[in-house]
Amino acid sequence: MPGPASDLEPVEPQSLKKLSLKSLKRALDLFSPVHGHFAPPDLESKKIRLSHKVSVLYGGIEPTSQTRCRPDRSNQQTAPSNTLALPGPEGSKDLQKSAAENALVVGPTLQPRGPNNIGPTSRSTAILPASGSSSERNLSTAALMERIPSKWPRPVWHAPWKNYRVIQGHLGWVRSVAFDPSNEWFCTGSADRTIKIWDLATGVLKLTLTGHIEQIRGLAVSPRHTYMFSAGDDKQVKCWDLEQNKAIRSYHGHLSGVYCLALHPTLDILLTGGRDSVCRVWDIRTKMQIFALSGHDNTVCSVFTRPTDPQVVTGSHDSTVKFWDLRYGRTMTTLTHHKKSVRAMALHPKENAFASASADNIKKFSLPKGEFCHNMLSQQKTIINTMAVNEDGVMVTGGDNGSLWFWDWKSGHNFQQAQTIVQPGSLESEAGIYGMSYDVTGTRLVTCEADKTIKMWKEDEKATPETHPINFKPPKEIRRF
């Protein structure tokens, strides 16, 4: 048993040289084929290194340059094309000869036509620069490689977005937003336990609905009925009749808070996901639970639906995205590309593709198979709570630190980074964005924020490609995961 820390001898400071020698010894112990002996020299690699050095240093010198340095003699024969004229003392001729013999054949060398030189030589070790003298250019392997143009798609130009209206009225964090299919109003759910309905054109409050006893995290308005659906931390999912302005149904079954909900575009079913790690499928009319889609290991915090398979897609805090078979209520595919919680997803309104956002990256996937397309070309470096995309290919993501980033959907280029401004009297830490949605036309954006406000954004009409040019550099490599 070792004694107490006071009995231990102090560690003597070691010099950098001693430490590096120790490191070298450890590396030899680890990687040397025979312990205690150096690996035998590799003749082939030595030959390649030498030939590359010769090519870099003397590649621009023509093989026939020996004759040019001497006085003009009519009977003088030209030097053979497979030797190099290397400057140096007489004693280094053997080295020059062996280097020339070991040199790699790079390609044919173009030489001037003359009486002793009919055309380009078939095999030569010299490399001639395209223009200029050989002393001006440092030839390397990069100069020999063929330049391949980038196949990454060019981003489409989009006008920058600006904040044009701030709406106050909620007494708590605004957590969710949904638009009316007629595009006349939108509703917001808040931590003050109310749902407020606002006029889209003027931003005037039209109605306040109460009934939840905890914050409201999800909202959806039915395009085929006069119904609005809400879900919250109180484990309740409610159906509101917008003709009577009251709750007419409640869907009971969740064991904990409900974080997200979505309406199927063609069927009369509702999907809700929550902290009980289950996505539940409800019949709107009968209040019956059709399926409990279980398989996630953590909170289901994002869900969207499609008319064709996969009809239900969920994202979870277990960092996976799952596709569900709605006929049998089981998993079709699990995407494990993310390393952190998938808190937000956005389905493109026209393309068969969707994007999922996590703290590590924003990734784009194709549908229906869920093949990985590419990452977005920048990292927001914050927790992304919400995202949306419109028909013009403008994707927007909102972060916990109040950052609002706008992306070109096609290329993944981040063309604008906005920062929300907290209201007077709010803390700087209350700059989080918790929900967002485009209106039906895709020209207005509404964000729900932690400073208890709702902000509305639109494109800057005065911006042109000349005033706001695209600063785009295609990525050098495509990261597959």
Side-chain angles (χ1 to χ4, degrees):
M1 291 290 291
S6 59
D7 297 340
L8 295 176
E9 296 180 4
V11 180
E12 59 172 346
Q14 295 180 339
S15 67
L16 191 62
K17 186 178 179 182
K18 192 173 179 181
L19 287 171
S20 59
L21 284 172
K22 271 191 177 181
S23 172
L24 181 66
K25 184 173 182 297
R26 284 183 188 142
L28 279 174
D29 285 343
L30 282 172
F31 300 112
S32 179
V34 182
H35 288 288
H37 298 282
F38 287 101
D42 187 358
L43 298 175
E44 189 65 28
S45 64
K46 186 179 178 183
K47 187 188 291 187
I48 291 171
R49 282 202 309 275
L50 185 61
S51 63
H52 172 68
K53 193 169 183 181
V54 169
S55 171
V56 168
L57 289 175
Y58 307 111
I61 301 173
E62 292 188 42
T64 55
S65 60
Q66 284 176 330
T67 58
R68 297 184 182 180
C69 299
R70 296 170 183 165
D72 187 17
R73 296 176 187 174
S74 57
N75 296 328
Q76 184 77 32
Q77 291 185 353
T78 59
S81 62
N82 62 345
T83 60
L84 286 173
L86 304 180
E90 293 295 325
S92 63
K93 283 183 179 178
D94 294 335
L95 175 63
Q96 295 168 14
K97 185 179 177 183
S98 66
E101 287 172 357
N102 292 334
L104 292 176
V105 178
V106 179
T109 304
L110 296 179
Q111 298 174 355
R113 293 178 182 272
N116 298 323
N117 196 4
I118 306 301
T121 56
S122 60
R123 289 174 66 83
S124 173
T125 55
I127 306 168
L128 290 179
S131 62
S133 65
S134 61
S135 61
E136 292 173 1
R137 294 184 60 190
N138 180 18
L139 291 170
S140 66
T141 50
L144 306 177
M145 291 171 63
E146 182 185 356
R147 292 294 176 91
I148 302 171
S150 174
K151 294 181 181 177
W152 198 271
R154 293 285 304 173
V156 182
W157 183 82
H158 301 286
W161 290 64
K162 62 179 183 180
N163 178 221
Y164 74 97
R165 181 178 291 149
V166 178
I167 302 172
Q168 292 178 311
H170 279 295
L171 302 176
W173 292 356
V174 191
R175 300 301 304 243
S176 52
V177 59
F179 274 87
D180 165 42
S182 66
N183 213 35
E184 292 179 1
W185 51 267
F186 65 94
C187 53
T188 55
S190 167
D192 63 6
R193 309 185 296 280
T194 64
I195 302 168
K196 290 184 184 288
I197 294 177
W198 312 85
D199 186 79
L200 178 61
T202 60
V204 173
L205 179 65
K206 299 176 77 170
L207 186 66
T208 301
L209 300 173
T210 57
H212 281 279
I213 56 172
E214 272 288 347
Q215 59 182 349
I216 297 152
R217 285 182 177 260
L219 285 172
V221 183
S222 172
R224 300 187 299 126
H225 308 100
T226 57
Y227 292 156
M228 179 178 69
F229 298 87
S230 62
D233 278 355
D234 53 6
K235 301 185 270 191
Q236 296 186 44
V237 180
K238 290 182 180 291
C239 172
W240 303 81
D241 188 332
L242 295 172
E243 289 178 340
Q244 305 175 48
N245 293 335
K246 68 178 186 181
I248 57 170
R249 294 187 192 93
S250 287
Y251 304 90
H252 296 285
H254 275 285
L255 306 175
S256 191
V258 189
Y259 279 25
C260 58
L261 85 167
L263 281 167
H264 197 283
T266 55
L267 304 175
D268 285 344
I269 59 174
L270 171 71
L271 299 124
T272 56
R275 280 182 59 191
D276 53 6
S277 311
V278 175
C279 177
R280 299 182 189 271
V281 184
W282 309 92
D283 186 328
I284 287 175
R285 297 276 180 178
T286 63
K287 303 186 285 186
M288 290 289 292
Q289 180 178 299
I290 303 169
F291 286 122
L293 306 177
S294 57
H296 282 295
D297 298 331
N298 211 326
T299 305
V300 178
C301 48
S302 52
V303 61
F304 68 82
T305 63
R306 304 170 65 240
T308 56
D309 280 338
Q311 295 182 51
V312 182
V313 180
T314 57
S316 167
H317 281 326
D318 63 8
S319 73
T320 64
V321 176
K322 284 185 184 286
F323 294 179
W324 299 91
D325 189 332
L326 202 54
R327 290 173 300 172
Y328 305 111
R330 58 184 180 221
T331 308
M332 293 171 68
T333 314
T334 302
L335 306 179
T336 57
H337 297 68
H338 283 286
K339 298 181 182 69
K340 300 285 180 70
S341 305
V342 183
R343 293 172 182 264
M345 296 190 299
L347 175 68
H348 194 280
K350 287 184 176 177
E351 293 180 21
N352 277 330
F354 76 97
S356 59
S358 173
D360 58 353
N361 233 319
I362 302 167
K363 298 177 185 291
K364 198 163 92 178
F365 299 92
S366 67
L367 290 167
K369 292 184 178 179
E371 293 158 338
F372 175 72
C373 300
H374 61 84
N375 287 322
M376 296 294 140
L377 300 184
S378 307
Q379 281 185 290
Q380 203 161 341
K381 290 191 168 63
T382 184
I383 293 172
I384 297 172
N385 292 316
T386 177
M387 64 193 303
V389 59
N390 65 6
E391 291 185 357
D392 296 333
V394 178
M395 187 176 76
V396 57
T397 54
D400 241 11
N401 59 358
S403 58
L404 197 67
W405 285 27
F406 294 86
W407 311 80
D408 174 51
W409 174 268
K410 182 180 168 187
S411 64
H413 171 60
N414 171 227
F415 68 90
Q416 186 188 357
Q417 298 179 10
Q419 183 70 31
T420 187
I421 301 168
V422 297
Q423 289 305 290
S426 298
L427 299 171
E428 286 297 322
S429 58
E430 290 187 316
I433 300 172
Y434 289 128
M436 65 173 56
S437 178
Y438 283 106
D439 70 346
V440 176
T441 63
T443 57
R444 297 288 184 272
L445 176 71
V446 171
T447 59
C448 307
E449 312 205 356
D451 61 356
K452 306 171 188 171
T453 64
I454 302 150
K455 294 189 175 72
M456 300 183 72
W457 307 74
K458 65 178 179 181
E459 287 186 342
D460 190 354
E461 301 92 349
K462 297 176 182 177
T464 63
E466 288 72 32
T467 59
H468 294 80
I470 298 174
N471 183 20
F472 175 69
K473 289 182 182 177
K476 293 180 181 176
E477 48 142 359
I478 303 172
R479 283 185 60 196
R480 294 301 302 166
F481 296 103

